[in-house]
Amino acid sequence: QVQLVESGGGSVQPGGSLRLSCAASGSSFSIAAMGWYRQTPGKERELVATITTRGDINYADSVKGRFTISRDNPKNTMYLQMNSLKPEDTAVYYCNAKAYSGSGYWGQGTQVTVSS
């Protein structure tokens, strides 16, 4: 089992920045990849960015050039640096971990609100 705890959400004006963190505990050695997803009411959860243990990274087109995903493997922590935030980035952001076994885990989510 893997437990994920997100932090760092909040409210910011358009153009501002936030950094999200996701700390993994439990069987974190079993994690092959981690990622950030987001969801707004009435919409499906969508991928924001993913990163593997090897450091392979993938971004959604909507965040390329503005968001940076990173991972501190010794600390079992993943980050999402979000710059040049837009109102359409407003969502609940979820941390996800995929184990080598194929099992998936989700954090509880953290709210990000971009508004003037």
Side-chain angles (χ1 to χ4, degrees), residues 51 70-79:
I51 183 167
S70 61
R71 186 171 170 179
D72 186 333
N73 287 331
K75 293 184 178 179
N76 294 319
T77 302
M78 175 181 64
Y79 305 96

Side-chain angles (χ1 to χ4, degrees), residues 74-88:
K75 293 184 178 179
N76 294 319
T77 302
M78 175 181 64
Y79 305 96
L80 185 69
Q81 178 66 43
M82 305 186 292
N83 298 329
S84 301
L85 282 160
K86 304 175 181 180
E88 51 263 44

